[in-house]
Amino acid sequence: LYAYFPGTPTWPSDKTELKYAITATSAVSIDLSVLKTVFARAFGRWSAATTLTFTETDSSSDADITIGFYNGSHGDGEPFDGVLGTLAHAFSPTDGRFHLDAAETWVAEGDVTQADSDVAVDLESVAVHEIGHLLGLGHSSVAEAIMYPTIKTRTKKVDLASDDVEGIQNLY
Ligand code: TQI
Ligand code: ZN
Ligand code: ZN
């Protein structure tokens, strides 16, 4: 079953149009155009299940959600740890910060199951999971759910399960 953060924080009900900015990409070697496509697809999976909409903005001061890639310590007390271990983290509503470990072998184009590294991680799969956290979902006990707290390398898992849909539709 799905879960929420303590106190069930959500984005306010009068704020259904959320803006996101991709603000820190210099530590990763993926084209910005590719990143924009991947994150738009990941947000689209959640907007399809709710009345929420997600629009990219180039202005981080305008953004409700900010997305960035960082190595090691990056100022929030939750340092990244290099290859594998923690891949990314996102904060609960209405913080909006979504950080990714630049040290991972991110796969954003092509088929991750065909990746030539056994540490390759599918960027869209991680993004769909972290957006769930950004919107207020904790971890699910349902193994098929996007919010289940296990991810395999060289695996793509991007389709919301009915458990994810029920969890998010209870909030929005
Ligand atoms: N990052 C953890 C995660 O996103 C960070 C974390 C642990 C966390 N507990 C949390 C974030 C509670 C919010 C609330 O779960 S991770 C997975 C999964 C990670 C893990 O890098 O370990 C995915 C990133 F769920 F598969 F294990 C993406 Cl999909
Ligand atoms: Zn961080
Ligand atoms: Zn998680």
Side-chain angles (χ1 to χ4, degrees):
L1 196 68
Y2 55 80
Y4 304 124
F5 291 99
T8 317
T10 64
W11 293 88
S13 55
D14 63 346
K15 190 173 181 71
T16 58
E17 301 177 13
L18 295 169
K19 293 187 184 146
Y20 64 93
I22 305 170
T23 59
T25 62
S26 60
V28 74
S29 65
I30 306 172
D31 283 348
L32 184 57
S33 63
V34 171
L35 293 176
K36 287 184 182 217
T37 301
V38 172
F39 288 117
R41 286 176 57 93
F43 279 108
R45 296 179 185 278
W46 293 104
S47 60
T50 61
T51 57
L52 300 173
T53 65
F54 302 97
T55 311
E56 203 213 328
T57 173
D58 290 326
S59 158
S60 60
S61 58
D62 252 20
D64 304 296
I65 293 165
T66 56
I67 304 171
F69 291 83
Y70 302 93
N71 280 294
S73 298
H74 51 279
D76 60 11
E78 305 208 40
F80 285 132
D81 54 2
V83 178
L84 298 184
T86 299
L87 312 171
H89 52 230
F91 294 83
S92 56
T94 51
D95 182 289
R97 285 174 293 171
F98 172 11
H99 298 161
L100 300 104
D101 189 343
E104 306 307 340
T105 303
W106 294 110
V107 174
E109 285 177 299
D111 183 357
V112 70
T113 70
Q114 296 289 312
D116 64 7
S117 164
D118 58 13
V119 294
V121 179
D122 184 58
L123 179 62
E124 186 181 347
S125 300
V126 170
V128 175
H129 179 94
E130 297 304 331
I131 293 165
H133 288 318
L134 289 169
L135 298 179
L137 290 174
H139 285 150
S140 173
S141 58
V142 174
E144 295 71 35
I146 287 289
M147 298 314 297
Y148 189 70
T150 300
I151 190 169
K152 294 197 193 85
T153 56
R154 303 180 76 148
T155 300
K156 195 174 188 89
K157 182 179 180 183
V158 292
D159 292 320
L160 300 192
S162 52
D163 182 70
D164 300 303
V165 173
E166 287 163 19
I168 203 69
Q169 289 188 348
N170 261 343
L171 290 183
Y172 300 99

